[in-house]
């Protein structure tokens, strides 16, 4: 397993270099608050609940389209952070953002009522256990955590939107994917957690799991985005959204 510093260094450089292409290729997805490539929108799902009087933190915000949407929707207060300076450079003005690492949250204890992440940060950190413990630290007792990631079962299939992407060939229990350059330096790091891994990690950090949402592929969505496609999406899930709350410590 790579170290936290290795993953942070690799993924910061990766997303800095990919920011312009990412925004050019996905304008519809970045126009609002979408939880996943299935285009599940917070405007309809309302997984965060009523946040009009609450303080909300976005983890791994990228260019912060989700936080920006919340600000326009009437959230009490929202802020976000991302590892990549170039992703943050694409953000619209109006939401306070900082460059930071999810592995070292720059916030005081019990600062927020809600924390969320839409495909941000969590799949790219080596030690998710410590990250979620730190997320629990900055949440108030009873605070809500919602995050979306690749559905764990997607790991066993190649990243191919066509028929070849329907044939399983990767171990579900292989938990690390790395790309390296000719010198052996890690240039991209991503980590797989099984469904059981996520449940145990949330429990260990003091969260109670309320729901796991597995968005279905909409009948009218015909776009292909990387591994996500109508062909694959109508057969098996591409996204898992975990909804949890922080346990209240009894006196």
């Amino acid at each position: 397993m790579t170290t936290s510093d290795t993953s942070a260094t690799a993924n910061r450089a990766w997303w800095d270099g990919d920011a312009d292409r990412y925004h050019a290729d996905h304008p519809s997805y970045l126009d609002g608050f979408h939880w996943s490539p299935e285009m599940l929108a917070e405007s309809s799902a309302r997984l965060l609940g009523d946040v009009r009087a609450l303080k909300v933190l976005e983890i791994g915000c990228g260019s912060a389209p989700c936080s920006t949407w919340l600000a326009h929707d009437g959230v009490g207060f929202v802020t976000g952070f991302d590892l990549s300076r170039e992703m943050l450079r694409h953000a619209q003005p109006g939401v306070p953002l900082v460059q930071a690492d999810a592995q070292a949250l720059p916030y005081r204890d019990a600062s927020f009522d809600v924390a969320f992440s839409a495909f941000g940060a969590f799949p790219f950190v080596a030690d998710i256990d410590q990250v979620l413990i730190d997320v629990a630290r900055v949440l108030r007792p009873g605070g809500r955590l919602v995050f979306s990631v690749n559905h764990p079962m997607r790991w066993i299939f190649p990243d191919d939107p066509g028929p070849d992407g329907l044939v399983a060939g990767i171990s579900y229990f292989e938990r690390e994917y790395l790309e390296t350059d000719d010198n052996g330096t890690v240039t991209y790091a991503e980590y797989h957690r099984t469904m059981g891994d996520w449940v145990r990690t949330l429990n260990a950090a003091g969260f109670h799991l309320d729901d796991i949402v597995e968005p279905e592929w909409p009948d009218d969505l015909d776009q292909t985005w990387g591994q996500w496609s109508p062909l694959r999406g109508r057969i098996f899930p591409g996204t898992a959204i975990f909804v949890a709350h922080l346990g209240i410590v009894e006196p």
Side-chain angles (χ1 to χ4, degrees):
M1 179 71 73
T2 52
T3 67
S4 297
D5 288 344
T6 298
S7 62
T9 299
N11 288 322
R12 181 185 295 109
W14 174 274
W15 287 108
D16 279 349
D18 197 51
D20 289 345
R21 181 209 61 82
Y22 179 83
H23 285 83
D25 287 357
H26 307 300
S28 59
Y29 179 74
L30 298 170
D31 183 21
F33 188 153
H34 296 104
W35 282 106
S36 66
E38 291 89 357
M39 300 298 282
L40 178 65
E42 175 62 8
S43 59
S44 58
R46 295 295 178 180
L47 299 180
L48 298 184
D50 185 353
V51 295
R52 286 174 293 179
L54 303 182
K55 293 183 178 179
V56 179
L57 172 66
E58 182 173 7
I59 300 165
C61 65
S63 58
C66 300
S67 288
T68 300
W69 183 88
L70 285 174
H72 293 155
D73 193 51
V75 66
F77 172 79
V78 63
T79 187
F81 71 89
D82 198 86
L83 185 66
S84 167
R85 181 184 64 184
E86 292 305 304
M87 291 294 285
L88 291 167
R89 184 175 60 82
H90 284 270
Q92 299 179 18
V95 174
L97 304 173
V98 298
Q99 184 180 8
D101 188 344
Q103 299 169 129
L105 297 181
Y107 306 103
R108 291 181 296 183
D109 295 0
S111 297
F112 298 98
D113 303 292
V114 176
F116 76 94
S117 185
F119 275 84
F122 289 167
F124 307 105
V125 296
D127 191 345
I128 190 63
D129 298 313
Q130 287 303 311
V131 169
L132 285 181
I133 288 171
D134 207 22
V135 171
R137 177 186 64 80
V138 304
L139 280 174
R140 296 190 176 100
R144 193 173 185 85
L145 171 64
V146 186
F147 63 92
S148 58
V149 294
N150 283 339
H151 196 286
M153 73 168 292
R154 277 289 175 110
W155 191 260
I156 69 176
F157 297 96
D159 284 349
D160 188 318
D164 288 345
L166 301 179
V167 181
I170 304 168
S171 172
Y172 180 72
F173 303 102
E174 180 66 40
R175 289 175 168 83
E176 183 178 70
Y177 171 78
L178 304 177
E179 294 181 6
T180 59
D181 62 18
D182 293 340
N183 298 317
T185 301
V186 177
T187 58
Y188 179 87
E190 186 173 344
Y191 304 93
H192 165 62
R193 279 95 194 184
T194 68
M195 196 65 79
D197 289 342
W198 282 117
V199 172
R200 286 186 291 273
T201 296
L202 284 164
N203 285 341
F207 288 99
H208 297 276
L209 184 61
D210 299 314
D211 197 5
I212 301 174
V213 180
E214 300 165 293
E216 295 187 39
W217 192 271
D219 291 336
D220 60 351
L221 183 60
D222 59 4
Q223 71 179 27
T224 294
W225 173 355
Q227 61 163 300
W228 281 271
S229 65
L231 173 66
R232 284 158 57 93
R234 289 171 183 148
I235 297 174
F236 52 84
T239 301
I241 307 173
F242 293 83
V243 182
H245 71 276
L246 188 61
I248 300 175
V249 178
E250 297 293 340

